[in-house]
Amino acid sequence: MSTSDPLAALLPAEHRSLYIGGEWREAEDGRRFDVLDPADGSVLASVPDASPGEAADALDAAADAQAAWAATPPRERSDVLRRAFDLITAHTDELALLMSLEMGKPVAEAKGEVAYGADFFRWFSEEAVRIHGTWMEAPAGGTRILTVRKPVGPCYFVTPWNFPLAMGTRKIGPALAAGCTVVVKPAEQTPLTMLALAAILEEAGVPAGVVNVVTTTDAAGVSDALMTDDRLRKISFTGSTAVGRVLVKQSADQLLRVSMELGGNAPFLVFEDADLDAAVEGAMLAKMRNMGEACTSANRFLVHADVAEEFSRRLAERMGALTVGRGQDDGTDVGPLIDEDALDSVGQLVTDAVHDGARVVTGGERVDGQGWFYRPTVLVDVPPESEINTQEIFGPVAPVTTFSDEDEAVARANATEYGLASYVFTRDLARSVRMVERLDYGMVGLNTGLVSNAAAPFGGVKASGFGREGGFEGIEEYLETTYAALKV
Ligand code: NAD
C-alpha cells in the first residue's frame, strides 16, 4: 500500500482481511464492502464481505482449535491475555485513532475505551487461573460429590458499532480465559478496530483458530450458518433488543448457551436532596459519553420538581458549551452520529417531543453541512408518554420531566420494558439502599454517571437481556459444570 494510504500505520492493508485459522484472507468471491467516516461519509477503507461459507470455515477453525486450547494450562492462557492487555495498552494511540475514524467518537474518549477494553484482558487473565471445582461429602455420608468446570466450547460473538473494541474484549477475554474458541462478527460499520484487535491477539500468542474474525454485510446469513451447526455451543450478542429476540429464537434449535446485552432506557433520578454539582457532572457523563450512543446512556431525566429548574438550566449551560466536530480535531467534545438513519431518528424524536409539548432549552437541531452531527440538546416539560421517553434515543438529547415523591419516581423509572442501567442522585443513604432494591435494573449508578468497570458484572434484566460480562460472574458464562458421584 502506498504512503498515501492514511490508515497504513493504524491497520496495514494485509490486515483488512478475514482472519480465519490464523490466516489473513479474502472472501472467496473477492467481494468487499466500504467502511465510512461518519464525519463526512467518505470511504476510509474496505474489508472482505464474507459469505456463510466463510463463516463455516471460521467455525471449522474454531472447532479444530477447541480441544487444544481447552487443554492449554490456565497459566499459559492467562499469560496470553496479559500480553494482549500490554500490547493494546502500548498501541493506545493507534487504536483510539482508528476507532475514532470509523465510529466518530472523539479521540480522547476512544482512548478511554481502549483502557476500558484492555482491562477485560487484564481482569480475565487473573480469572483464568482461578477456575475451580468443589469436593463435598454427600449429606447421607458415603458418596463424595465432586464438581469440575469445563469450557462450553466454540462460541459465536456478534458485536455492535458503538464500542468497537470493548464490546469485543468483554466477550473474548472471558471466553479465552475459560478455554473456549471464538468466531467474532463485528458490526459492518466498524470492522477495522476488531481486525486491529485480531492482529494484536495474534502477536500476543493466541494460537491459530482460537480467535477468528469474519467481516460481512450478511449478518443474518452468517449467523444462520453458524447457529445451525451443532459444533457451536454458545452465542453472545450485544446490540438491539429486536435483533436479540431473533437470535434467542434461533438459538433454540441447537439449545445454545446464550448471553444477551441489549438495549436500554436508563432513568436518571435527581432527588431534592441531591448534590446538584455532582448530579450535573454525572448527567454529562451518563448522557454524553459516546455522543449518547451507549446502551447505558441516560435516556430519561426524572428530576424532583423543587430542583428541576436549576438542574435543567445548569445542564443546558454545560451541554450548550460543548464543541461539536470531527472526533480527530483538538477540542472536540461531541463527534458525529454513526449514520444518516441515526441522525434522522434522533431528529424525529425531538420533533415529536416538541409536538407533544416539550420546550427546547438548548440545541434541538442537526448541524448544517456534511456528516451526521446533532447539537447537544436539553428538552424540558417533556410528557412522560412522549416517545422520546419510551424509546432508546441513542443521541445527545436529554429530556427532563419532573416528579413529586419517591414512589412516583420509582414507578416512572420502572415503567419501561428495559432494565439495563439506572442512575440515582441523593444524599440520603437509606434512600440509596431503597433505590438499589426497588429499581428493576441490572445496574444502578449511585451518585455517579459511570457504571462500566471490567471488575463489575455488567448486564441487564427484562428486555435488556440476560447474562453478565465482567466481574467474577463474567467467566461463568463460558463454563459448564460436570459433577461426579464418588463412592467411597
Ligand atoms: P444492531 O442490533 O442493529 O446490530 C448489532 C449487531 O447485530 C451488528 O453486528 C449487526 O450486524 C448484527 N445483526 C443485525 N441483524 C442481525 C441478524 N438478523 N442476525 C445476526 N446479527 C445481526 O444494533 P446496533 O445499532 O449496532 O447497536 C446499538 C444497539 O446495541 C442499541 O440498542 C444498544 O443499546 C445496544 N447495545 C447494548 C449494549 C449492552 O451491553 N447491553 C452495549 C452496546 C450496545
Side-chain angles (χ1 to χ4, degrees):
M1 189 59 61
S2 77
T3 48
S4 65
D5 174 4
L7 290 190
L10 308 179
L11 182 69
E14 64 268 26
H15 292 161
R16 296 172 212 168
S17 309
L18 307 176
Y19 183 61
I20 297 176
E23 300 200 333
W24 297 92
R25 56 176 253 201
E26 291 301 311
E28 213 135 87
D29 59 6
R31 285 208 313 151
R32 298 179 72 85
F33 64 96
D34 290 337
V35 182
L36 305 182
D37 178 346
D40 57 16
S42 63
V43 176
L44 284 171
S46 71
V47 294
D49 195 355
S51 67
E54 273 111 23
D57 291 348
L59 185 54
D60 286 347
D64 288 351
Q66 178 57 53
W69 182 243
T72 301
R75 178 59 71 198
E76 277 181 41
R77 299 202 301 265
S78 167
D79 287 346
V80 167
L81 285 171
R82 177 66 204 207
R83 278 198 296 277
F85 165 77
D86 290 336
L87 283 167
I88 294 174
T89 306
H91 291 291
T92 295
D93 290 351
E94 297 95 308
L95 284 166
L97 183 53
L98 186 64
M99 198 190 310
S100 170
L101 283 166
E102 68 174 342
M103 189 276 167
K105 67 180 78 187
V107 169
E109 260 197 82
K111 286 183 185 174
E113 181 179 340
V114 173
Y116 172 56
D119 221 14
F120 287 98
F121 285 170
R122 178 165 58 178
W123 175 262
F124 286 108
S125 76
E126 292 155 355
E127 290 297 280
V129 291
R130 317 227 187 288
I131 300 166
H132 52 80
T134 59
W135 171 287
M136 82 179 254
E137 185 176 359
T143 309
R144 300 294 185 271
I145 297 169
L146 278 68
T147 62
V148 294
R149 312 304 306 281
K150 300 176 184 171
V152 300
C155 304
Y156 173 41
F157 297 156
V158 182
T159 57
W161 49 264
N162 60 346
F163 292 97
L165 183 78
M167 297 303 98
T169 60
R170 214 159 77 165
K171 300 182 192 304
I172 297 168
L176 265 53
C180 299
T181 60
V182 310
V183 176
V184 187
K185 191 212 80 61
E188 48 274 41
Q189 297 93 334
T190 58
L192 304 177
T193 305
M194 187 61 70
L195 293 171
L197 178 64
I200 283 176
L201 289 169
E202 183 176 49
E203 193 182 339
V206 172
V210 171
V211 173
N212 307 278
V213 179
V214 176
T215 55
T216 186
T217 56
D218 182 12
V222 159
S223 293
D224 200 52
L226 295 174
M227 290 175 75
T228 52
D229 188 316
D230 64 7
R231 293 171 302 171
L232 189 75
R233 290 313 322 139
K234 180 179 170 86
I235 173 159
S236 178
F237 170 73
T238 298
S240 62
T241 296
V243 173
R245 285 195 168 106
V246 170
L247 293 174
V248 170
K249 283 182 188 145
Q250 276 187 295
S251 75
D253 283 345
Q254 302 288 347
L255 291 170
L256 299 175
R257 288 274 299 266
V258 181
S259 302
M260 288 283 141
E261 298 283 354
L262 308 177
N265 179 4
F268 188 102
L269 275 55
V270 183
F271 285 94
E272 65 278 23
D273 58 16
D275 172 345
L276 279 195
D277 290 339
V280 172
E281 203 56 52
M284 292 300 292
L285 212 63
K287 180 72 250 180
M288 293 309 295
R289 179 166 177 238
N290 230 37
M291 291 82 76
E293 293 175 316
C295 52
T296 50
S297 194
N299 211 56
R300 299 172 287 153
F301 289 82
L302 303 175
V303 186
H304 191 276
D306 289 354
V307 293
E309 204 178 314
E310 186 181 350
F311 174 82
S312 307
R313 180 179 50 75
R314 290 170 62 176
L315 181 62
E317 273 167 23
R318 291 282 300 275
M319 294 275 275
L322 295 174
T323 303
V324 181
R326 288 187 74 96
Q328 305 82 51
D329 290 350
D330 285 345
T332 292
D333 300 307
V334 186
L337 298 184
I338 190 71
D339 55 25
E340 185 93 44
D341 285 351
L343 187 66
D344 288 347
S345 153
V346 171
Q348 193 59 49
L349 286 171
V350 171
T351 304
D352 291 349
V354 170
H355 183 260
D356 293 341
R359 193 160 51 82
V360 178
V361 186
T362 187
E365 58 188 5
R366 66 177 290 173
V367 177
D368 287 339
Q370 59 181 6
W372 299 299
F373 297 93
Y374 199 84
R375 289 200 192 287
T377 298
V378 176
L379 303 174
V380 293
D381 303 334
V382 185
E385 62 283 2
S386 186
E387 218 174 339
I388 203 161
N389 275 324
T390 60
Q391 265 196 30
E392 213 176 10
I393 303 170
F394 246 55
V397 181
V400 182
T401 55
T402 60
F403 66 84
S404 49
D405 64 38
E406 191 178 303
D407 285 345
E408 185 192 353
V410 170
R412 294 252 297 280
N414 287 341
T416 170
E417 65 167 331
Y418 294 107
L420 192 62
S422 57
Y423 304 90
V424 176
F425 282 75
T426 177
R427 278 190 272 220
D428 181 335
L429 179 60
R431 173 178 275 151
S432 300
V433 173
R434 286 198 297 278
M435 288 303 111
V436 174
E437 293 177 354
R438 294 183 70 190
L439 289 172
D440 297 335
Y441 286 83
M443 298 176 280
V444 186
L446 283 174
N447 296 318
T448 175
L450 188 68
V451 290
S452 302
N453 191 315
F458 187 106
V461 298
K462 296 162 64 184
S464 293
F466 36 78
R468 293 293 178 268
E469 293 188 323
F472 299 116
E473 291 83 349
I475 201 163
E476 293 293 326
E477 307 275 326
Y478 297 92
L479 293 169
E480 297 285 13
T481 300
T482 293
Y483 139 65
L486 191 68
K487 185 97 176 82
V488 287

